[in-house]
Amino acid sequence: VKHVLTARQFETAELDDLFKRADYMRENSRTLTGRRRLMASHNGLLLATMFYEPSTRTRLSFEFAAERLGIRVRGTENAAEFSSAAKGETIEDSTRVIAGYADMIVMRHKENGAAERAASVSDVPIINAGDGTGEHPTQSLLDVYTIKHELGRLDSLEVIAMGDLKYGRTVRSLVQVLAMYPGNHVTFVSPKEMRMGDDIKQYLDERKVKYSETEDMYKVLAKADVVYQTRVQKERHGAVKGAAPATGQDPRFVIGQKALDKLKETAIIMHPLPRVTEIETLVDTDPRAAYFRQAENGLYMRMALLDALADGHSR
Ligand code: CP
């Protein structure tokens, strides 16, 4: 069974295949004829969506992605409250049962490693839709698809990864995928209490990916091809032992007009969303603001992923 648990599990050939599938999904989504063709492609399959943490994009894009491919969806947007997890059922027991009902399971959970635990007992694919401060592999797929779509390449990029790098899981997954391509350099920009974890830095060292760290985005903005901004994950700061207090948004890390003035014309600004105050809304109308295009790409990339997993379906 092919599970999707971590960004580092993908090979570049698999990514190329997913990019092609995502382009196909985008193209066919444009016309009613194309939509009907897609709708007939995986009719009969069933997807379960189990979200133990809030989500807008990941859950809805997976659910719409499935429905656009003719896959029917059942699940819960609040599994922590509306599933038997509220009565103390373990992830393993719930997964064993749901795997008997559905052909694939998309799961978001507040605990690191939850998707891996689910996968250990599941004979249908488990797709990690975000586990605590661990990973968000499908976000990294749509992120690299967006970079490729916007800039035409995934190598030799100057990437600024910014914000709450300690508690945000999207950057952790993204840099692991970027590490597969030559010549990329990542600058981590964050307050010192929200720096990128040593495990990811060690992974970059092993892959010989160059990176640096700074608290001053204005020193590095001018060279960036991609600025990947993230939200302060306030909800996680109290839950992690030794965590910094919920500090909210430090104005030094907000992208506004002054940051736009420093950026190259060809650069793009990305954000996994939701955005709170870390990108001022005045940035939204700048052509370099790619974050809403990025969110739309999530639909096509998740269609691509479900399509690929369904092609390998053996029930
Ligand atoms: N990017 C992302 O994971 O958004 P949601 O939390 O809304 O799913």
Side-chain angles (χ1 to χ4, degrees):
V1 181
K2 172 97 178 166
H3 302 291
V4 179
L5 302 177
T6 167
R8 68 178 73 170
Q9 75 183 63
F10 293 99
E11 308 274 341
T12 52
E14 273 179 287
L15 295 174
D16 286 343
D17 174 65
L18 286 171
F19 297 155
K20 281 196 196 107
R21 287 179 196 253
D23 285 343
Y24 177 82
M25 299 303 169
R26 182 198 302 277
E27 196 54 42
N28 277 276
S29 295
R30 288 205 177 110
T31 62
L32 195 54
T33 314
R35 295 267 294 261
R36 286 184 174 143
R37 186 181 305 122
L38 293 176
M39 192 71 87
S41 58
H42 295 297
N43 198 2
L45 289 183
L46 299 167
L47 174 73
T49 51
M50 299 299 292
F51 278 70
Y52 296 83
E53 265 198 339
S55 166
T56 296
R57 276 146 293 275
T58 312
R59 183 175 68 83
L60 288 173
S61 64
F62 261 119
E63 293 186 352
F64 283 119
E67 291 191 25
R68 280 171 182 248
L69 295 171
I71 300 170
R72 295 188 69 180
V73 182
R74 286 283 182 281
T76 169
E77 64 194 25
N78 184 358
E81 201 179 329
F82 298 143
S83 80
S84 285
K87 304 173 206 160
E89 186 169 54
T90 63
I91 287 283
E92 286 84 351
D93 284 359
S94 296
T95 302
R96 275 197 177 97
V97 172
I98 299 162
Y101 304 155
D103 300 302
M104 296 182 255
I105 302 173
V106 177
M107 180 180 289
R108 169 170 289 189
H109 203 282
K110 66 179 187 303
E111 286 171 23
N112 294 28
E116 224 168 292
R117 283 169 54 200
S120 72
V121 296
S122 177
D123 58 4
V124 302
I126 299 292
I127 304 171
N128 180 2
D131 64 329
T133 57
E135 284 222 37
H136 196 345
T138 69
Q139 177 73 43
S140 68
L141 294 176
L142 76 93
D143 290 343
V144 289
Y145 176 60
T146 298
I147 295 171
K148 176 108 171 122
H149 200 75
E150 297 272 332
L151 300 180
R153 70 183 199 279
L154 283 168
D155 61 290
S156 309
L157 293 166
E158 281 289 343
V159 178
I160 293 180
M162 189 161 137
D164 188 348
L165 307 177
K166 183 167 183 177
Y167 302 112
R169 55 198 170 200
T170 63
V171 173
R172 292 173 56 79
S173 291
L174 173 62
V175 296
Q176 292 179 75
V177 182
L178 289 173
M180 296 171 200
Y181 296 89
N184 291 329
H185 177 267
V186 184
T187 307
F188 295 120
V189 180
S190 70
K192 60 179 177 310
E193 66 272 20
M194 296 181 210
R195 278 191 188 151
M196 179 52 81
D198 288 340
D199 57 336
I200 295 294
K201 289 184 204 161
Q202 193 183 330
Y203 182 77
L204 296 180
D205 287 337
E206 284 162 13
R207 306 289 296 226
K208 301 200 178 354
V209 178
K210 293 200 168 68
Y211 62 87
S212 44
E213 291 181 287
T214 178
E215 287 188 47
D216 185 354
M217 71 166 157
Y218 294 104
K219 275 191 181 154
V220 290
L221 278 173
K223 67 175 181 177
D225 298 303
V226 177
V227 178
Y228 193 96
Q229 174 69 301
T230 62
R231 172 180 70 89
V232 174
Q233 307 269 307
K234 274 180 151 185
E235 70 276 25
R236 299 193 201 284
H237 285 212
V240 182
K241 199 165 175 278
T247 49
Q249 187 59 55
D250 181 331
R252 289 177 303 152
F253 302 94
V254 172
I255 297 179
Q257 189 59 53
K258 192 175 156 197
L260 281 182
D261 292 343
K262 290 264 181 200
L263 270 184
K264 290 195 286 200
E265 281 303 308
T266 52
I268 54 169
I269 303 167
M270 298 176 67
H271 191 310
L273 304 178
R275 171 257 308 269
V276 189
T277 54
E278 62 281 2
I279 299 180
E280 291 178 16
T281 51
L282 65 85
V283 177
D284 298 357
T285 50
D286 191 288
R288 292 167 291 185
Y291 31 93
F292 292 114
R293 299 192 290 274
Q294 179 186 355
E296 182 181 337
N297 287 338
L299 174 69
Y300 307 127
M301 179 43 80
R302 288 179 172 126
M303 289 171 82
L305 183 64
L306 292 176
D307 183 50
L309 290 171
D311 279 353
H313 184 267
S314 59
R315 244 188 204 177

